[in-house]
Amino acid sequence: MRRLLVGLTAVSVLAAATACGSSDDSGGPDGSGSSGGITEVEVGLIPIVDVAPLFLGQKKGFFEKQGLKLSFSSAQGGAAIVPGVVSGQFQFGFSNMTSLMIAQSNNVPVKAVANGIASTGEVGKDFEALTVKGDSPIKSPKELEGKKVAINTLKNINETAVRASVRKAGGDPDEVELVELAFDQMPAALDAGRIDAAMVVEPALATIKSQGGREIASPMIDVAPKLTVAMYFTSTEYAQEHPEVVERFQAATAESLAYADTHPDEVREVVTTYTKIPADVLAKVTLPKWPAEPDRAAIEELAKLGEADGLFKRTPDLDKLLP
């Protein structure tokens, strides 16, 4: 809980800076803004390719059709977004499944409401990868023992995934030094030699490849072939008090996911509106999958690994967490 409180402070600062936009909150009765019959909701997210469907859905009018207007605030990871949603600062958030399961196992009142993203299931062709510099002597995750590896936040899905890859390669994950670093800072840190490896997602992965970096593993796939990596969520209180807003958000998000999954060119175009990735690098970005429903079996496998790594105080109740 102390970590969640620290995260809340961090996300409050980030929200003030609001790298992805600002809220025009007029203080409607549902805790969000309301104007002309449109309900304004704030969404906490990470400015990465994963969340492109929401930006695209807003652009295409899918949310407006449901009577919603989204405002976006950015954070470094799902662990920081959770307290922002629980406190009511955001009505919805985007978080990796491990952070949501940690929260649920700590009795933090969160409820997943819509699918987020999934792995492609193709090793070496996923939207995420464990990477090293092109001239690094490291060839396998086993060789990361005693090395410094960057993940966006500790105790989240990327930690579990890195540990899974090291373990699968025959190494001891407890011997790997994991350090926190924002995704967009990883390419420069890796290129400068401040870290030995980086667990990245797009568009940082494409940037690292453009610098000559290379992949040594696809950690999400090492967890499960087609892993549900992240979902959109709200607080249980908000879900109970405003079920109609949640239903409209679910409907618009489902339409956005389906559209994004079949319009990759438009996804790449909208990514330029909230990241600084160059067009030539963006063209090489590997897109994730945006299925309509989460993969329960894959999430259960992720939960087992998280439990083995000591991330949970008690076993997460997936029946309560998942929609």
Side-chain angles (χ1 to χ4, degrees):
M1 185 57 68
R2 179 184 175 192
R3 178 174 181 81
L4 289 176
L5 291 173
V6 171
L8 177 55
T9 301
V11 81
S12 296
V13 173
L14 283 163
T18 186
C20 283
S22 60
S23 172
D24 183 23
D25 192 348
S26 58
D30 59 359
S32 57
S34 181
S35 176
I38 296 291
T39 301
E40 300 179 19
V41 294
E42 188 85 8
V43 183
L45 46 71
I46 315 166
I48 51 181
V49 170
D50 307 26
V51 297
L54 255 62
F55 286 89
L56 189 56
Q58 176 114 305
K59 179 181 178 182
K60 302 298 292 188
F62 301 153
F63 287 91
E64 184 179 7
K65 184 171 65 176
Q66 293 293 335
L68 297 176
K69 178 181 179 182
L70 307 184
S71 295
F72 303 110
S73 289
S74 67
Q76 185 166 316
I81 295 170
V82 168
V85 170
V86 173
S87 71
Q89 181 178 354
F90 311 134
Q91 283 69 58
F92 298 96
F94 177 84
S95 176
N96 70 84
M97 292 310 304
T98 296
S99 291
L100 288 177
M101 288 189 289
I102 289 174
Q104 201 281 328
S105 70
N106 284 326
N107 292 317
V108 177
V110 293
K111 177 69 176 178
V113 296
N115 201 25
I117 59 162
S119 164
T120 66
E122 297 184 59
V123 175
K125 296 181 180 180
D126 202 12
F127 75 100
E128 52 76 34
L130 189 53
T131 60
V132 295
K133 286 186 66 173
D135 60 0
S136 170
I138 298 172
K139 306 293 184 183
S140 163
K142 184 180 187 301
E143 298 168 45
L144 294 176
E145 294 178 347
K147 304 298 184 182
K148 186 178 292 185
V149 180
I151 56 177
N152 65 320
T153 57
L154 296 171
K155 308 302 180 186
N156 80 350
I157 194 170
N158 289 304
E159 176 168 339
T160 297
V162 169
R163 291 175 64 86
S165 290
V166 172
R167 192 181 292 115
K168 183 178 180 180
D172 183 354
D174 290 335
E175 295 300 315
V176 178
E177 182 185 355
L178 296 172
V179 297
E180 287 191 350
L181 196 64
F183 286 127
D184 61 0
Q185 296 175 21
M186 291 183 190
L190 186 63
D191 197 48
R194 295 193 296 273
I195 53 176
D196 299 296
M199 173 62 194
V200 291
V201 298
E202 297 288 14
L205 176 56
T207 301
I208 286 175
K209 287 180 177 178
S210 74
Q211 297 172 172
R214 54 186 173 80
E215 301 181 25
I216 61 170
S218 298
M220 299 295 184
I221 298 174
D222 285 339
V223 172
K226 293 188 177 181
L227 179 64
T228 296
V229 177
M231 294 185 70
Y232 295 96
F233 71 103
T234 189
S235 67
T236 54
E237 179 182 7
Y238 190 84
Q240 290 166 0
E241 293 181 355
H242 309 289
E244 75 293 341
V245 178
V246 173
E247 289 175 4
R248 286 185 279 146
F249 180 84
Q250 289 173 320
T253 299
E255 187 171 7
S256 300
L257 292 172
Y259 191 87
D261 216 34
T262 54
H263 294 79
D265 291 341
E266 291 186 52
V267 168
R268 295 178 198 279
E269 182 181 351
V270 81
V271 170
T272 64
T273 65
Y274 64 93
T275 73
K276 297 179 181 179
I277 184 169
D280 59 330
V281 175
L282 183 61
K284 300 174 183 178
V285 162
T286 299
L287 299 179
K289 290 296 184 180
W290 288 293
E293 302 294 335
D295 186 326
R296 173 73 180 244
I299 295 173
E300 289 174 351
E301 185 60 31
L302 181 65
K304 289 178 184 177
L305 290 174
E307 195 156 25
D309 288 336
L311 297 184
F312 312 127
K313 288 186 176 180
R314 60 183 177 85
T315 302
D317 188 337
L318 297 183
D319 290 333
K320 288 184 178 180
L321 176 62
L322 299 177

